[in-house]
């Protein structure tokens, strides 16, 4: 699902109040990280990920890898923070403007 600019803007506003729910550390994107992220996306739809200082990977590369592995959309990448969004098809939590 491609997000519109207005939807991204709304999701960024919502993400400001979030705390990092998933962390990517020295090991990078692992199977455990993906399982944790998938569970968080299913429950909350909008998830903030923190890339720790000891991580060797670039934050933008980590964001791309996480989005591709989970099927989520990248809302924003700022510093070491990544925000991803993925609609829960069974029980949508966040209502987005149509267009």
């Amino acid at each position: 699902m491609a997000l519109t600019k207005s939807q991204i803007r709304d999701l960024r506003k919502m993400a400001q109040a979030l705390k990092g729910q998933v962390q990517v550390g020295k090991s990078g994107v692992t199977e455990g990280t993906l399982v944790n992220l998938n569970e968080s996306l299913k429950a909350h739809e909008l998830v903030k990920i923190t890339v720790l200082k000891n991580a060797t990977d670039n934050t933008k590369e980590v964001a791309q890898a996480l989005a591709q592995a989970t099927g989520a959309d990248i809302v924003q990448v700022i510093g070491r923070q990544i925000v991803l969004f993925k609609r829960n098809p069974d029980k949508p939590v966040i209502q987005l403007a149509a267009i």
Side-chain angles (χ1 to χ4, degrees), residues 41-86:
L41 283 168
K42 188 172 182 179
H44 304 290
E45 293 183 339
L46 188 65
V47 176
K48 188 179 279 188
I49 299 117
T50 304
V51 179
L52 301 177
K53 291 181 182 180
N54 65 353
T56 56
D57 298 334
N58 180 347
T59 305
K60 290 184 180 182
E61 292 171 0
V62 171
Q64 289 292 333
L66 291 173
Q68 186 175 17
T70 60
D73 292 309
I74 299 173
V75 175
Q76 74 180 30
V77 177
I78 295 180
R80 296 190 166 274
Q81 300 288 322
I82 302 166
V83 179
L84 297 180
F85 173 78
K86 183 177 179 184

Side-chain angles (χ1 to χ4, degrees), residues 21-52:
Q21 296 171 324
V22 178
Q23 294 182 342
V24 176
K26 186 177 181 180
S27 302
V29 178
T30 63
E31 189 65 35
T33 304
L34 293 175
V35 169
N36 190 9
L37 179 58
N38 276 321
E39 290 173 1
S40 294
L41 283 168
K42 188 172 182 179
H44 304 290
E45 293 183 339
L46 188 65
V47 176
K48 188 179 279 188
I49 299 117
T50 304
V51 179
L52 301 177

